[in-house]
Coordinates of all heavy atoms in Angstrom, one line a residue:
K450 N -5.2 20.8 -12.3 CA -6.6 21.1 -12.4 C -6.9 22.6 -12.3 O -8.1 22.9 -12.3 CB -7.4 20.3 -11.3 CG -7.4 18.8 -11.6 CD -8.2 18.0 -10.5 CE -9.7 18.2 -10.6 NZ -10.3 17.6 -11.8
G451 N -5.8 23.4 -12.2 CA -6.0 24.8 -12.1 C -6.2 25.4 -10.7 O -6.5 26.6 -10.6
N452 N -5.9 24.7 -9.7 CA -6.0 25.2 -8.3 C -4.7 25.9 -7.9 O -3.6 25.6 -8.5 CB -6.2 24.0 -7.3 CG -7.5 23.4 -7.5 OD1 -8.6 23.8 -7.0 ND2 -7.5 22.3 -8.2
Y453 N -4.9 26.9 -7.1 CA -3.7 27.7 -6.6 C -3.3 26.9 -5.4 O -3.9 26.8 -4.3 CB -4.1 29.1 -6.2 CG -2.8 29.9 -5.8 CD1 -2.0 30.4 -6.9 CD2 -2.4 30.1 -4.6 CE1 -0.9 31.1 -6.6 CE2 -1.2 30.8 -4.2 CZ -0.5 31.3 -5.3 OH 0.7 32.0 -5.0
V454 N -2.1 26.2 -5.5 CA -1.6 25.2 -4.5 C -0.1 25.4 -4.3 O 0.6 25.6 -5.3 CB -2.1 23.8 -4.9 CG1 -1.6 23.4 -6.2 CG2 -1.6 22.8 -3.8
L455 N 0.3 25.3 -3.1 CA 1.7 25.3 -2.7 C 2.0 23.9 -2.0 O 1.2 23.2 -1.5 CB 2.0 26.4 -1.7 CG 1.7 27.8 -2.2 CD1 1.8 28.8 -1.1 CD2 2.7 28.2 -3.3
F456 N 3.3 23.5 -2.1 CA 3.7 22.2 -1.5 C 5.0 22.4 -0.8 O 5.9 23.1 -1.3 CB 3.9 21.2 -2.6 CG 4.7 20.0 -2.2 CD1 4.1 19.0 -1.4 CD2 5.9 19.7 -2.7 CE1 4.8 17.9 -1.0 CE2 6.7 18.6 -2.2 CZ 6.0 17.7 -1.4
S457 N 5.2 21.7 0.3 CA 6.4 21.6 1.1 C 6.6 20.2 1.5 O 5.7 19.5 2.0 CB 6.3 22.6 2.3 OG 7.4 22.4 3.2
N458 N 7.8 19.8 1.5 CA 8.1 18.4 1.9 C 8.4 18.3 3.4 O 8.9 17.3 3.9 CB 9.3 17.8 1.1 CG 10.6 18.5 1.4 OD1 10.7 19.4 2.3 ND2 11.6 18.2 0.6
G459 N 8.1 19.4 4.1 CA 8.3 19.4 5.6 C 9.7 19.8 6.0 O 9.8 20.5 7.0
A460 N 10.7 19.4 5.2 CA 12.1 19.9 5.6 C 12.4 21.2 5.0 O 13.5 21.8 5.3 CB 13.0 18.8 5.0
D461 N 11.5 21.8 4.1 CA 11.8 23.1 3.6 C 11.8 24.1 4.7 O 11.3 23.9 5.8 CB 10.7 23.5 2.6 CG 10.7 22.6 1.4 OD1 11.8 22.2 1.0 OD2 9.6 22.5 0.7
T462 N 12.5 25.2 4.4 CA 12.5 26.3 5.4 C 11.1 26.8 5.8 O 10.2 26.8 5.0 CB 13.3 27.5 4.9 OG1 13.2 28.6 5.8 CG2 12.7 27.9 3.6
N463 N 10.9 27.2 7.1 CA 9.7 27.6 7.6 C 9.2 28.9 6.8 O 8.0 29.2 6.8 CB 9.7 27.9 9.1 CG 9.6 26.6 9.9 OD1 9.0 25.7 9.5 ND2 10.2 26.6 11.1
A464 N 10.2 29.6 6.2 CA 9.8 30.9 5.6 C 8.8 30.6 4.5 O 7.9 31.5 4.3 CB 11.1 31.5 5.0
L465 N 8.9 29.5 3.7 CA 7.9 29.2 2.6 C 6.5 29.2 3.2 O 5.6 29.7 2.6 CB 8.3 27.9 2.0 CG 7.3 27.4 0.9 CD1 7.3 28.4 -0.3 CD2 7.8 26.1 0.4
F466 N 6.4 28.5 4.3 CA 5.1 28.4 5.0 C 4.6 29.7 5.6 O 3.5 30.2 5.4 CB 5.1 27.3 6.0 CG 3.8 27.0 6.6 CD1 2.7 26.4 5.9 CD2 3.5 27.3 7.9 CE1 1.5 26.0 6.4 CE2 2.3 27.1 8.5 CZ 1.3 26.4 7.8
L467 N 5.5 30.3 6.5 CA 5.2 31.5 7.2 C 4.9 32.7 6.4 O 4.0 33.5 6.7 CB 6.3 31.8 8.2 CG 6.6 30.8 9.3 CD1 7.8 31.1 10.1 CD2 5.3 30.6 10.2
N468 N 5.6 32.8 5.3 CA 5.5 34.0 4.4 C 4.2 33.9 3.6 O 3.8 34.9 2.9 CB 6.6 34.1 3.5 CG 7.9 34.6 4.2 OD1 7.9 35.0 5.3 ND2 9.1 34.3 3.6
N469 N 3.5 32.8 3.6 CA 2.3 32.6 2.9 C 1.0 32.4 3.7 O -0.1 32.2 3.3 CB 2.4 31.5 1.9 CG 3.3 31.8 0.7 OD1 2.9 32.4 -0.3 ND2 4.5 31.3 0.8
L470 N 1.3 32.5 5.1 CA 0.1 32.3 6.0 C -1.1 33.2 5.7 O -2.2 32.7 5.9 CB 0.6 32.5 7.4 CG 1.2 31.2 8.1 CD1 1.7 31.6 9.5 CD2 0.1 30.1 8.2
N471 N -0.8 34.4 5.4 CA -1.9 35.3 5.2 C -2.7 35.1 3.9 O -3.8 35.6 3.8 CB -1.4 36.8 5.1 CG -0.5 37.0 3.9 OD1 0.1 36.1 3.4 ND2 -0.4 38.3 3.4
R472 N -2.3 34.1 3.1 CA -3.0 33.8 1.9 C -3.5 32.4 1.9 O -4.2 32.0 0.9 CB -2.2 34.1 0.6 CG -1.0 33.2 0.4 CD -0.3 33.5 -0.9 NE 0.5 34.7 -0.8 CZ 1.3 35.2 -1.7 NH1 1.4 34.6 -2.8 NH2 2.1 36.2 -1.4
I473 N -3.1 31.6 2.8 CA -3.5 30.2 2.8 C -4.9 30.0 3.4 O -5.2 30.5 4.4 CB -2.5 29.3 3.6 CG1 -1.1 29.4 3.0 CG2 -2.9 27.9 3.8 CD1 0.0 28.7 3.9
D474 N -5.7 29.3 2.6 CA -7.1 29.0 3.1 C -7.3 27.6 3.7 O -8.1 27.4 4.5 CB -8.1 29.2 1.9 CG -8.0 30.7 1.4 OD1 -8.3 31.5 2.1 OD2 -7.6 30.8 0.2
I475 N -6.5 26.7 3.2 CA -6.6 25.3 3.6 C -5.2 24.7 3.7 O -4.4 24.9 2.8 CB -7.4 24.4 2.6 CG1 -8.9 24.9 2.5 CG2 -7.4 23.0 3.0 CD1 -9.8 24.5 3.7
V476 N -5.0 23.9 4.7 CA -3.7 23.1 4.8 C -4.0 21.6 4.8 O -4.9 21.2 5.5 CB -2.9 23.5 6.1 CG1 -1.8 22.5 6.3 CG2 -2.4 24.9 6.1
I477 N -3.4 20.9 3.9 CA -3.6 19.5 3.8 C -2.2 18.8 4.2 O -1.2 19.0 3.6 CB -3.9 19.0 2.4 CG1 -5.2 19.7 2.0 CG2 -4.0 17.5 2.3 CD1 -5.6 19.3 0.5
C478 N -2.3 18.0 5.2 CA -1.2 17.3 5.8 C -1.3 15.8 5.6 O -2.3 15.2 5.9 CB -1.0 17.6 7.3 SG -0.9 19.3 7.7
I479 N -0.2 15.2 5.1 CA -0.2 13.7 5.0 C 1.0 13.1 5.8 O 2.1 13.5 5.6 CB 0.0 13.3 3.5 CG1 -1.1 13.8 2.6 CG2 0.2 11.8 3.3 CD1 -1.0 13.5 1.1
S480 N 0.6 12.3 6.8 CA 1.6 11.7 7.6 C 1.1 10.4 8.1 O 0.0 10.3 8.8 CB 1.9 12.6 8.8 OG 2.7 12.0 9.8
K481 N 1.7 9.3 7.8 CA 1.3 8.0 8.2 C 1.2 7.9 9.7 O 0.1 7.5 10.2 CB 2.3 6.9 7.7 CG 1.9 5.5 8.2 CD 2.9 4.5 7.7 CE 2.5 3.1 8.3 NZ 3.4 2.0 7.9
S482 N 2.2 8.3 10.5 CA 2.1 8.2 11.9 C 1.3 9.3 12.6 O 0.7 9.1 13.6 CB 3.6 8.3 12.5 OG 4.1 9.6 12.2
G483 N 1.2 10.5 11.9 CA 0.6 11.6 12.5 C 1.4 12.2 13.6 O 0.9 13.1 14.3
E484 N 2.7 11.8 13.7 CA 3.5 12.3 14.7 C 4.9 13.0 14.2 O 5.8 13.1 14.9 CB 3.9 11.2 15.8 CG 2.7 10.6 16.4 CD 2.0 11.5 17.3 OE1 2.5 12.5 17.7 OE2 0.9 11.1 17.7
T485 N 4.8 13.3 12.9 CA 6.0 13.9 12.3 C 6.2 15.4 12.7 O 5.3 16.2 12.3 CB 5.9 13.8 10.7 OG1 5.6 12.4 10.4 CG2 7.2 14.2 10.1
A486 N 7.2 15.6 13.4 CA 7.4 17.0 13.9 C 7.4 18.1 12.9 O 6.8 19.1 13.1 CB 8.7 17.0 14.8
L487 N 8.1 17.8 11.8 CA 8.2 18.8 10.7 C 6.9 19.2 10.1 O 6.7 20.3 9.7 CB 9.1 18.2 9.6 CG 10.6 18.1 9.9 CD1 11.3 17.3 8.8 CD2 11.2 19.5 10.1
I488 N 5.9 18.2 10.1 CA 4.6 18.5 9.6 C 3.7 19.1 10.7 O 3.0 20.1 10.5 CB 3.9 17.2 9.2 CG1 4.8 16.5 8.0 CG2 2.5 17.4 8.6 CD1 5.0 17.4 6.8
N489 N 3.7 18.5 11.9 CA 3.0 19.0 13.0 C 3.2 20.4 13.5 O 2.3 21.1 13.9 CB 3.0 18.0 14.2 CG 2.3 16.7 13.9 OD1 1.8 16.5 12.9 ND2 2.4 15.8 14.8
D490 N 4.5 20.8 13.4 CA 4.9 22.2 13.8 C 4.2 23.2 12.9 O 3.7 24.2 13.3 CB 6.4 22.4 13.7 CG 7.1 21.6 14.8 OD1 6.4 21.2 15.8 OD2 8.3 21.5 14.7
K491 N 4.1 22.9 11.6 CA 3.4 23.8 10.7 C 1.9 23.7 10.8 O 1.2 24.8 10.7 CB 3.8 23.5 9.2 CG 5.3 23.7 8.9 CD 5.7 23.3 7.5 CE 7.1 23.7 7.2 NZ 8.1 22.9 8.0
A492 N 1.4 22.5 11.1 CA 0.0 22.4 11.4 C -0.5 23.3 12.6 O -1.5 23.8 12.6 CB -0.4 20.9 11.6
K493 N 0.4 23.2 13.6 CA 0.1 24.0 14.8 C 0.0 25.5 14.5 O -0.8 26.2 15.0 CB 1.1 23.8 15.9 CG 1.1 22.4 16.5 CD 2.2 22.1 17.5 CE 2.2 20.7 18.0 NZ 3.3 20.4 18.9
K494 N 1.0 26.0 13.7 CA 0.9 27.4 13.2 C -0.4 27.7 12.5 O -1.0 28.8 12.6 CB 2.2 27.7 12.4 CG 3.5 27.7 13.2 CD 4.7 28.0 12.3 CE 5.9 28.1 13.1 NZ 6.4 26.9 13.7
A495 N -0.8 26.8 11.6 CA -2.0 27.0 10.9 C -3.2 27.0 11.8 O -4.1 27.8 11.6 CB -2.2 25.8 9.8

Side-chain angles (χ1 to χ4, degrees):
K450 292 178 71 70
N452 294 277
Y453 190 80
V454 55
L455 301 169
F456 166 72
S457 170
N458 65 7
D461 293 332
T462 173
N463 280 331
L465 177 63
F466 185 74
L467 295 175
N468 291 344
N469 287 281
L470 270 176
N471 64 334
R472 71 177 76 178
I473 297 173
D474 298 299
I475 297 283
V476 172
I477 299 178
C478 300
I479 298 178
S480 170
K481 179 183 174 182
S482 67
E484 302 295 345
T485 307
L487 291 170
I488 303 301
N489 290 357
D490 288 346
K491 294 178 176 65
K493 289 175 184 176
K494 291 182 175 66

